[in-house]
Structures are given as structure tokens and as C-alpha cells.
Amino acid sequence: MSEGDAAVWARLCEGQESALTELFDLHQARLFRQAGRLLTTREDAKDAVSIAFFELWRKREAVRLVDGSPLPWLLNTVSHSARNLERSSRRYRALLARTPAVRDQPAPAAPDESGVLAALKRLPAREQSVLVLTVLEGYPDRVAAETLGIPIGTVKSRQARAKAKLRHELAAMEGAWA
């Protein structure tokens, strides 16, 4: 490791995130090649490299340097991560192989028995967004106002207007069912 690399390692040990970025830029290609040799998919290789750098950050106080470099430790960690990812992938493929094949069946339709969702969808988008935030998601009017970038009074008026429209529509639906 050069003097500059030693300074990067010292900054990493002090908790400076930018040092991790520098080490990543320095070693990621070599680690990716190592992971690529051990794994069958490119995405898994990327994951193995990411895991190695995450572990480097997490365990930076205990990492053993070899000739002043974390590269051997990173290569070892990539290898372990790759084996774990490959093992997990094998188990997943085995599970899929045991799962009975589904023949071309249409996707199950979940009809809205009550018609409430259909009525909600017919509301104007501005009223819909207020009802979704305040009624369905349970956020206070103040939070909905901040989220939507509108005054709290506007939230309350849109809410009242939307509830009145829904009440009227649902009453009409009940009359049709009776």
C-alpha cells in the first residue's frame, strides 16, 4: 500500500465515509473479477462486492491488513459472500424445482365487492390524494398538507368534499342493492 493508501485507510478507521469510496474505486474491479469467477450471475457478483465493502466499513476496527492493504481481507470476504450467495441461490432454485408448475391461468381478480374503491377512483386526483393520506393511511391533516404542499384548510375542505361525494355514491349503491 502506498503512503496515500495508508492515509485513506487511516481516514476510514476514523469513520470518514469518503475514504470508503476511495477504497471502493481502487479495488472494486479486482473484487468484481473475483466474485465473477465464483458466481453465475453478474448481479450476484455485484452483491458480493457490496457486501464486502459493507463489512469492511462495519468491521473496520478489526480488519487485519496484509502489507498495509485491506485487499486480501476484501478478497476473502468477497469469496465468503459469493459462496453464501451461491448456496442461497441453489436452495432457491431447488425450491422452485419442487414447486408445481402453474399452467396458464388468468391472474386472480379481486373484485371490489363494496364498490368503495371504484368510487374512490372516480374522485378528482386532488381529493383522492387527500383521502388516501388522511383516511386510508391515517396521517394527520397537518402532515398531509405538508406532503401535498397545500394549506391545512385546503386539506380539510377537499376531505369534506370527497367524503360527501363518497357518502352520496355509497348511498346510491346501497339503494341499488336493496
Side-chain angles (χ1 to χ4, degrees), residues 100-171:
V102 177
R103 300 232 160 45
D104 293 329
Q105 297 176 353
D112 178 18
E113 299 292 333
S114 65
V116 174
L117 289 178
L120 179 66
K121 289 179 183 177
R122 285 191 289 272
L123 288 174
R126 298 178 328 173
E127 292 173 5
Q128 248 184 52
S129 59
V130 167
L131 273 189
V132 167
L133 286 173
T134 59
V135 176
L136 297 179
E137 295 296 328
Y139 287 105
D141 293 347
R142 175 189 51 77
V143 173
E146 288 174 19
T147 302
L148 298 172
I150 57 177
I152 195 166
T154 305
V155 167
K156 291 181 180 191
S157 63
R158 287 181 186 174
Q159 190 180 56
R161 204 169 28 252
K163 285 180 178 180
K165 288 177 184 176
L166 285 177
R167 196 175 303 115
H168 175 71
E169 236 185 281
L170 293 176

Side-chain angles (χ1 to χ4, degrees), residues 6-89:
V8 172
W9 181 252
R11 287 193 354 259
L12 180 88
C13 288
E14 292 170 1
Q16 292 182 19
E17 294 173 12
S18 62
L20 184 64
T21 303
E22 290 179 45
L23 281 174
F24 179 84
D25 291 342
L26 186 64
H27 298 299
Q28 64 90 18
R30 189 162 178 192
L31 294 172
F32 184 74
R33 282 192 305 272
Q34 172 70 4
R37 285 190 285 267
L38 299 171
L39 293 162
T40 54
T41 66
R42 180 176 175 84
E43 289 74 24
D44 283 347
K46 288 179 184 178
D47 287 346
V49 172
S50 297
I51 290 167
F53 278 99
F54 174 75
E55 290 299 311
L56 179 70
W57 176 259
R58 196 171 70 85
K59 297 178 177 181
R60 63 187 177 269
E61 300 297 325
V63 170
R64 289 181 50 209
L65 302 179
V66 176
D67 293 330
S69 175
L71 183 59
W73 187 92
L74 283 166
L75 286 166
N76 191 39
T77 304
V78 163
S79 297
H80 287 296
S81 298
R83 279 193 292 277
N84 288 341
L85 289 167
E86 187 61 32
R87 195 175 315 123
S88 175
S89 181

